[in-house]
Amino acid sequence: MKTSDIILVVDLNGTLIRTDIFQEAFWSSFSKDWKTPFKVINLLSNDKVKIKENLDNLSEIDIRLLPYNKLVIEYIKQFNNNGGHTVLITNNNINIAKKIANYLGFFDEVHQYSSSRNLVGEKKRELLISLFGKKKFNYIGSSQSDIPVWKNAFKAINVNASNRLKKQCNNVNINNEHLENNNSINTLLIYLQSLRPHQWLKNILVFFPMLASHKLTGSYFLESLFAFISFSLISSSVYIVNDLLDLKADRLHPRKNKRPFASGSIPINNGLILALILFIIGIFTTVLLNKSFLVILLSYFVITSAYSLFLKRKAFIDICALASLYTLRIIGGGAATHIEISFWLLGFSIFIFLSLAAVKRQAEIVDLNERRTSKIIGRNYGVDDLKMVRSIALITGFLSVLVIAAYINSPEVLILYSQPQILWALCCVLFYWLIKMILAANNGKMHDDPLIYAIKDKISQLVFIITIIIILLSVNF
């Protein structure tokens, strides 16, 4: 049969695009309005198509930024070059599908089918047979629901299907084709990447109460370790949700657009499931500790969730929120081990983390000039705010150094250190390091996260080693 005699039908979700429009609309709406989940629940009594239409109206999906499947696009272009006729089909709002078709410019028709209950595949099959006739169309799909359609298609084409789905496709239609991206990246590695394991280094702060009080025993270490695990799991669950809320902003970013959810490497729906699993396991681990730590951990979750939903769009409030999240890790470490947090450690942590949070925003604002934009997407900062943010980083950084200086002169320091005068070197080292961080951000040399920069920066590594040496020399063994 000639190509010109066959219609090529392409499914939208998971096939033409490596994501789902309904999920995109939900998270886009959620990022704008935290009440979105409640609105969706209120609409559950309506038809599913009606819910999708309401979400589409609430959301702001930029079709130019969607993660299109290049393999499918190349296949369609080759089909069209041979005189073929292509059709886009969707179970979402047809208006969005038409915008996508117009943007790509190679679809001849766009159709919508009902997606009520479990009849997705059957509805597609019935619609396509009524439009084109049985065995009169080729169909490109990527899910279990496409099996009834493949059975009645002239040619069944699947995209990046599992071995099980390929076998099912082969069983229903011997005229089949399997399209696969040459992607050597391990799926497990991609899911691990979505957890941002490098960010777990921040949770080392839970060990600070034990270290600052010099209570280096096995029991304190185990309690701090369980606290570290709990914070890591909960923080990863929030990072996933934050990535889902920031899909649009991440896709506009030159580096963040490669994140698993923004790039479509992981289905959005799987992200929510993974976040829930991590949250449940993280809460469960607190059983090994105490109720006070559970309260701190839940407070951390609430603040991070509030930050992801709306605090990050409040200028300067977002910096305070970020600093509080760091400080909560230290407080959590104290709660897990029943070690009282000293006034000095608490004061130092508040100021140093305010400074680093401001440095993070400073780096993002400087990055705007390189990208030739005037405002950070999803944040309430522009290029005109650079001086103010830099001033916050400087002032709070200097205050953290003053706290250390005051601590060295306090009576408490004599209990823990035999040579407290050596600790004055810490003031110089910290002062130098903070200035270096601020200058690096100001010159556009810093990563989006100061932590990542400090880990990779050789001078920062040297500063860390010097700090350890200074403490060891002054401590009272």
Side-chain angles (χ1 to χ4, degrees):
M1 189 175 290
K2 297 179 181 179
T3 303
S4 58
D5 297 329
I6 291 291
I7 307 295
L8 177 63
V9 181
V10 183
D11 193 29
L12 176 61
N13 293 326
T15 303
L16 179 66
I17 57 176
R18 302 174 65 186
T19 185
D20 181 280
I21 291 296
F22 176 73
Q23 297 286 343
E24 291 274 343
F26 173 81
W27 288 103
S28 175
S29 302
F30 198 4
S31 67
K32 291 171 53 184
D33 183 2
W34 64 271
K35 298 185 291 294
T36 293
F38 303 101
K39 292 179 181 179
V40 171
I41 292 172
N42 188 49
L43 291 170
L44 286 178
S45 58
N46 296 328
D47 184 77
K48 191 174 181 180
V49 174
K50 190 69 176 178
I51 296 175
K52 291 182 178 182
E53 289 177 353
N54 276 274
L55 274 181
D56 291 338
N57 293 331
L58 291 170
S59 64
E60 293 181 353
I61 299 175
D62 191 334
I63 59 172
R64 299 169 300 173
L65 302 176
L66 292 173
Y68 291 96
N69 194 323
K70 295 180 180 179
L71 184 66
V72 174
I73 288 177
E74 289 302 317
Y75 188 93
I76 296 171
K77 288 181 177 180
Q78 185 176 355
F79 184 85
N80 285 349
N81 289 337
N82 293 327
H85 185 87
T86 54
V87 176
L88 179 62
I89 189 169
T90 181
N91 65 335
N92 293 101
N93 188 333
I94 196 169
N95 292 326
I96 291 182
K98 286 181 177 179
K99 289 179 181 178
I100 291 173
N102 291 333
Y103 171 68
L104 295 175
F106 47 63
F107 285 103
D108 299 293
E109 299 177 38
V110 181
H111 293 282
Q112 180 184 22
Y113 62 90
S114 172
S115 62
S116 58
R117 298 185 182 178
N118 297 320
L119 302 177
V120 176
E122 293 297 331
K123 290 293 182 181
K124 265 192 283 190
R125 181 185 64 82
E126 292 172 8
L127 174 63
L128 295 178
I129 290 177
S130 67
L131 289 172
F132 312 117
K134 185 180 288 188
K135 298 291 183 178
K136 295 293 184 181
F137 60 90
N138 294 346
Y139 179 75
I140 307 181
S142 58
S143 69
Q144 192 79 20
S145 65
D146 294 320
I147 292 175
V149 186
W150 282 328
K151 184 177 181 180
N152 292 272
F154 175 74
K155 187 175 185 179
I157 308 162
N158 57 64
V159 183
N160 294 324
S162 64
N163 291 331
R164 181 171 177 270
L165 188 58
K166 288 178 184 177
K167 186 176 180 179
Q168 291 175 312
C169 179
N170 294 341
N171 290 338
V172 299
N173 195 328
I174 59 173
N175 184 21
N176 57 69
E177 186 174 356
H178 307 299
L179 304 180
E180 291 184 284
N181 286 312
N182 295 322
N183 193 347
S184 59
I185 300 178
N186 187 284
T187 302
L188 183 61
L189 188 61
I190 296 175
Y191 275 90
L192 181 60
Q193 181 185 346
S194 71
L195 305 186
R196 301 197 208 171
H198 60 278
Q199 299 283 6
W200 294 347
L201 287 171
K202 297 176 182 178
N203 301 322
I204 292 176
L205 292 170
V206 299
F207 291 94
F208 273 36
M210 177 187 74
L211 296 172
S213 61
H214 296 187
K215 296 179 179 179
L216 309 178
T217 65
S219 60
Y220 285 131
F221 175 79
L222 282 177
E223 289 169 338
S224 298
L225 180 60
F226 285 128
F228 173 84
I229 293 171
S230 295
F231 266 104
S232 297
L233 292 169
I234 296 298
S235 61
S236 285
S237 72
V238 177
Y239 290 144
I240 290 173
V241 173
N242 186 68
D243 284 351
L244 295 174
L245 292 168
D246 277 352
L247 286 171
K248 182 178 179 180
D250 286 352
R251 287 168 181 161
L252 285 168
H253 197 276
R255 292 179 296 276
K256 294 180 182 180
N257 60 11
K258 296 179 178 63
R259 286 179 173 175
F261 298 105
S263 64
S265 300
I266 298 179
I268 293 176
N269 195 44
N270 289 4
L272 181 58
I273 295 171
L274 182 58
L276 287 172
I277 292 173
L278 291 169
F279 176 80
I280 292 170
I281 298 174
I283 295 298
F284 178 76
T285 56
T286 62
V287 174
L288 302 170
L289 296 170
N290 55 67
K291 292 182 180 179
S292 297
F293 176 75
L294 175 60
V295 171
I296 299 299
L297 192 65
L298 289 176
S299 299
Y300 172 86
F301 177 77
V302 170
I303 295 175
T304 49
S305 298
Y307 174 81
S308 296
L309 288 170
F310 51 85
L311 291 181
K312 65 184 178 184
R313 291 188 287 272
K314 305 294 183 180
F316 307 119
I317 293 178
D318 64 326
I319 293 176
C320 295
L322 285 174
S324 69
L325 294 176
Y326 284 103
T327 306
L328 271 177
R329 290 174 168 96
I330 294 178
I331 296 174
T337 56
H338 299 284
I339 295 174
E340 185 178 354
I341 306 296
S342 71
F343 164 81
W344 303 108
L345 179 58
L346 192 60
F348 170 74
S349 64
I350 290 172
F351 289 123
I352 189 68
F353 296 136
L354 278 171
S355 181
L356 292 178
V359 168
K360 177 180 173 65
R361 287 290 176 261
Q362 179 190 355
E364 292 173 348
I365 295 173
V366 170
D367 188 50
L368 291 177
N369 290 326
E370 296 181 6
R371 293 160 55 192
R372 297 182 180 180
T373 55
S374 59
K375 196 173 184 64
I376 303 175
I377 301 298
R379 307 288 187 273
N380 194 21
Y381 290 96
V383 292
D384 295 335
D385 298 314
L386 179 59
K387 290 183 179 180
M388 177 64 74
V389 173
R390 187 169 54 222
S391 297
I392 292 174
L394 285 166
I395 294 170
T396 54
F398 293 161
L399 287 174
S400 69
V401 176
L402 286 176
V403 171
I404 289 183
Y407 171 66
I408 295 171
N409 285 303
S410 69
E412 293 93 328
V413 77
L414 296 175
I415 301 173
L416 299 173
Y417 299 91
S418 59
Q419 301 292 331
Q421 64 274 15
I422 297 178
L423 291 175
W424 282 105
L426 281 180
C427 296
C428 300
V429 171
L430 179 62
F431 182 83
Y432 166 78
W433 183 73
L434 287 170
I435 292 296
K436 183 189 183 306
M437 295 287 283
I438 294 170
L439 286 176
N442 197 63
N443 295 330
K445 296 180 180 180
M446 180 165 288
H447 190 276
D448 303 310
D449 193 322
L451 173 68
I452 305 302
Y453 175 82
I455 291 172
K456 296 180 178 180
D457 179 52
K458 291 183 179 180
I459 294 180
S460 296
Q461 294 169 1
L462 180 60
V463 165
F464 175 76
I465 294 172
I466 293 173
T467 299
I468 297 298
I469 293 173
I470 291 171
I471 293 174
L472 290 176
L473 289 174
S474 59
V475 73
N476 183 14
F477 290 102

